[in-house]
Amino acid sequence: MKVVLGVGGGIAAYKAAELVRALSERDAEVQVVMTEAAQEFVRPLTFAALSGRKVITGMFSAGGGAEETLSSAVEHIQVAQENDILVVAPATADLLARFANGIANDFLTTFYLAFTGPVVLAPAMNTNMWNHAATQANIEVLRSRGHRIVGPGDGFLACGMVGPGRMSEPVEIAEAVLSLSRRKDLEGETILVTAGPTQEPLDPVRFVSNRSSGKMGYALAQAAADRGARVILISGPVHIPEPFGVQIVHVRTATEMRDAVLAGLDESTIIVKSAAVADYHVSTVPQQKMKKTAARMSLELDPTPDILAELGQKKGDRLLIGFAAETENLRQEVRRKLASKNCDMLVGNLVGQEGVGFESDTNEVLLGLATGELISIPKASKREVADRIFDEALKLRLALHAAQ
Ligand code: PMT
């Protein structure tokens, strides 16, 4: 795979050096293009050394360092024809605006217009700049062109602010780039994924919920979409970026999730229930806020609908993949839930451990299969775990058909 990495002029330009390494480690050939502003932050020589190629630094002039630069008047056309994917990291507010409006006043923006392949953009900027209506409008335009926007993440920014604007980690951007060239072995499938927590109201202002961030479910949805599936993602309330190329249905309560899942059941071929659905709720929520008194209070809760168990009865020949969040006896619980919910696969995670289950970027799971097999997937990024789950699901379906 041949990748053009456009580096914009922001403090995150130094992280683009890591991205060159991450892409090279995944067997990509990387041609770096730097804007003039980017060269104020990192020298082209750094990228030349990491990519093993001359860096393109301008439209017409080779500049001072002929060793580390290369340019000609028609080079943008040639480079556009020779490469498979364009990734821009950091994509500054200025670059996003120029891409969105077709302004071609340097090599990178001219190349962008000449390039017809997939584009991945990793924005990085100050929180106010990211939130500005102009930037958000540009992002919408770029998204509507089918470009993949990775991040930005939330956190402490170089300008001292805390909020959205931080460039995503190089490994995450490299994975997004790689996914575009991945095998399309889920083409023809419609995969319904549930993700995140549910929130069960106690009154108009309070609710009961859990720690699910949605990361596992969103990784599953993204992996399925990248591998060619049509994806319906039914998501509880989360605060992470939406996966690219999937249809999202937002829900809040277990009952809403059940309705959305059943509405998507007919068209789906595989169902993955990774959501952390509340087991109990208040069935009649008071219309007014509960008043605080000095007296002790107890809440009466009723069970929520068990969506997975219902799917187990209605699944037909669809592949049903359930999850189990356990704090002990993982093997026994995986086997028990696999059978009691009539699943084809049950993905168990021991959620009390560091880097496993809720909120973390990694997971470690035990797959229980309807064939009786148990498969351990060691700790890896949630995206890698998601890919392994689909690898095993495809094998399982073949095994189940063969056994019929
Ligand atoms: O979102 P993250 O922060 O990335 O965390 C990921 C995760 C820990 C939430 C995920 O890996 C996980 O374990 N999801 C299932 C959590 C859960 O609800 O487990 P459970 O053992 O309570 O439920 C078993 C299964 O029944 C699950 O597939 C669940 O979706 C389903 N269920 C539960 C209750 C209910 N009323 N209806 C259901 O369908």
Side-chain angles (χ1 to χ4, degrees), residues 31-34 39 44 48 53-76 78-79 82 107:
Q31 170 65 64
V32 178
V33 176
M34 298 181 79
Q39 294 163 57
R53 286 160 173 258
K54 291 177 180 175
V55 171
I56 299 176
T57 53
M59 197 75 196
F60 301 111
S61 145
E67 288 303 307
E68 55 192 48
T69 61
L70 169 74
S71 65
S72 79
V74 291
E75 196 178 16
H76 56 285
Q78 193 191 332
V79 178
E82 283 172 356
F107 188 98

Side-chain angles (χ1 to χ4, degrees), residues 337-355:
K337 285 187 178 163
L338 178 73
S340 70
K341 312 261 180 165
N342 196 27
C343 292
D344 299 294
M345 180 191 288
L346 207 288
V347 183
N349 36 197
L350 260 187
V351 294
Q353 295 175 340
E354 179 73 26

Side-chain angles (χ1 to χ4, degrees), residues 143-160:
R143 239 192 254 282
S144 71
R145 284 181 200 155
H147 300 345
R148 180 139 172 198
I149 315 293
V150 183
D154 250 50
F156 187 78
L157 304 175
C159 58

Side-chain angles (χ1 to χ4, degrees), residues 102-178:
I103 297 168
N105 56 359
D106 65 3
F107 188 98
L108 183 57
T109 48
T110 310
F111 170 82
Y112 169 78
L113 289 188
F115 186 66
T116 54
V119 177
V120 176
L121 302 169
M125 65 200 72
N126 157 278
T127 297
N128 291 344
M129 291 170 76
W130 171 251
N131 287 335
H132 197 283
T135 304
Q136 288 305 310
N138 290 332
I139 283 287
E140 272 321 300
V141 169
L142 295 165
R143 239 192 254 282
S144 71
R145 284 181 200 155
H147 300 345
R148 180 139 172 198
I149 315 293
V150 183
D154 250 50
F156 187 78
L157 304 175
C159 58
M161 287 182 89
V162 177
R166 206 165 72 162
M167 192 171 95
S168 292
E169 289 310 312
V171 169
E172 193 188 333
I173 303 169
E175 279 299 323
V177 171
L178 212 72

Side-chain angles (χ1 to χ4, degrees), residues 196 211-216 273-279 304-308 322-326 337 341 349 351 357-359 363 382:
R211 284 172 42 209
S212 172
S213 63
K215 288 180 185 174
M216 189 67 242
K273 285 284 290 105
S274 61
V277 186
D279 290 319
T304 53
D306 190 327
I307 310 166
L308 186 61
F323 268 66
E326 304 298 335
K337 285 187 178 163
K341 312 261 180 165
N349 36 197
V351 294
F358 292 101
E359 293 168 320
N363 208 356
K382 282 185 171 164

Side-chain angles (χ1 to χ4, degrees), residues 66 97 226 286 313 340 365:
D226 289 344
Q313 299 312 309
S340 70
V365 300

